[in-house]
Amino acid sequence: MPEPAYANIARTALEQILATQLGAIESAATLVADTIAAGGVLQTFGTGHSRIVTLELAARAGGLVPVSMLAVKDLVMFGGADPGPILDPTYERESGLAERIYELAAPATQDAFLIVSNSGINAAVTEMAALARARAHPIIAVTSLAHTRSAGARTTQGAHLADLADVVIDNQAPAGDAALEITPEVRIGAISSFTGVLIAQLLTELVCRRLLERGINPPVYTSANLASGDARNADLLERYHGRIRPIEP
């Protein structure tokens, strides 16, 4: 049986990230290491499938403890909002969501933001970036520059995510994300989640190495499914108590 075409697309995307984005990821790692060394937290935010990348960074085995995952669902889980509206997949286009999510999270002045959006155009992510920028939080964007710059992208007003960030990491996804044409009318094979997870893990490694270079032991989770996990994580969680969002099971 021949190799599925997506396997070659994924392999090429990985090579493109390593060939073109390591410089940006290294800059982002320095920014995050500075934040953690100063007692800050990395606030991550995305909507839709971009949440996969933020979840890869937050509250997972081998991941950095001072990472908080913000999401539209926080309005319901922590703000008591009606859950009905957030079930609409177009809700991310609604102006005003970002400010409500930001206020619920109450980030510290020394916190940094990592905002993920393949398109980089919807109100929730662009307004979150604008809020973070106005409050002098450093901002890392993970986005598709091909989509953001595409003539076929849905028209929106104002700046896109890439225009508002201090560091931009291009996930190398094509406009529309689906990278594999099955017929002229059918495209499959979304790539942004695959490259986003790769970016998240590269960033985590480089942040840990930056912290070690400064003589700081990286605050990293041990798997809760190891016998030693809960005890080893308890002290770190106490250090950041009230600063990071719990992740629902």
Side-chain angles (χ1 to χ4, degrees):
M1 180 178 178
E3 182 179 79
Y6 187 83
N8 186 58
I9 289 170
R11 188 180 300 114
T12 300
L14 183 151
E15 292 170 352
Q16 288 176 331
I17 293 292
L18 297 178
T20 68
Q21 299 305 302
L22 279 184
I25 297 170
E26 288 170 352
S27 295
T30 298
L31 188 156
V32 176
D34 289 344
T35 296
I36 294 173
V41 163
L42 179 63
Q43 304 282 351
T44 66
F45 179 65
T47 62
H49 281 83
S50 293
R51 289 176 297 169
I52 292 170
V53 184
T54 64
L55 188 60
E56 185 69 12
L57 285 162
R60 67 155 304 136
L64 292 159
V65 175
V67 176
S68 188
M69 178 182 169
L70 310 184
V72 175
K73 65 182 175 59
D74 295 352
L75 299 174
V76 176
M77 296 182 68
F78 305 108
D82 178 359
I86 75 168
L87 298 178
D88 179 353
T90 66
Y91 198 46
E92 63 183 345
R93 304 175 189 177
E94 187 81 16
S95 183
L97 294 180
E99 185 169 11
R100 293 162 62 195
I101 296 164
Y102 181 97
E103 295 301 329
L104 275 174
T109 56
Q110 68 268 37
D111 291 354
F113 274 71
L114 183 143
I115 302 176
V116 186
S117 172
N118 191 62
S119 68
I121 65 176
N122 288 308
V125 293
T126 58
E127 290 181 8
M128 184 65 80
L131 279 168
R133 188 178 183 89
R135 289 158 175 77
H137 298 289
I139 305 167
I140 302 161
V142 179
T143 190
S144 165
L145 293 181
H147 191 117
T148 291
R149 295 169 179 164
S150 170
R154 181 167 47 81
T155 302
T156 59
Q157 300 297 318
H160 292 178
L161 175 59
D163 303 322
L164 298 165
D166 298 290
V167 178
V168 177
I169 302 172
D170 184 358
N171 66 17
Q172 300 293 298
D177 204 2
L180 175 58
E181 183 178 283
I182 297 296
T183 75
E185 292 78 30
V186 178
R187 297 189 70 88
I188 63 170
I191 203 74
S192 64
S193 299
F194 172 75
T195 56
V197 167
L198 173 63
I199 289 164
Q201 290 298 339
L202 291 170
L203 179 63
T204 299
E205 176 188 351
L206 293 177
V207 170
C208 289
R209 294 192 185 281
R210 299 280 189 283
L211 292 173
L212 286 169
E213 289 168 0
R214 304 179 192 199
I216 300 171
N217 193 36
V220 170
Y221 286 103
T222 300
S223 172
N225 293 312
L226 293 175
S228 62
D230 289 345
R232 294 186 65 176
N233 292 335
D235 288 343
L236 288 170
L237 289 170
E238 181 60 30
R239 185 191 307 177
Y240 294 101
H241 180 72
R243 302 282 313 286
I244 55 178
R245 288 271 193 245
I247 301 297
E248 70 276 9

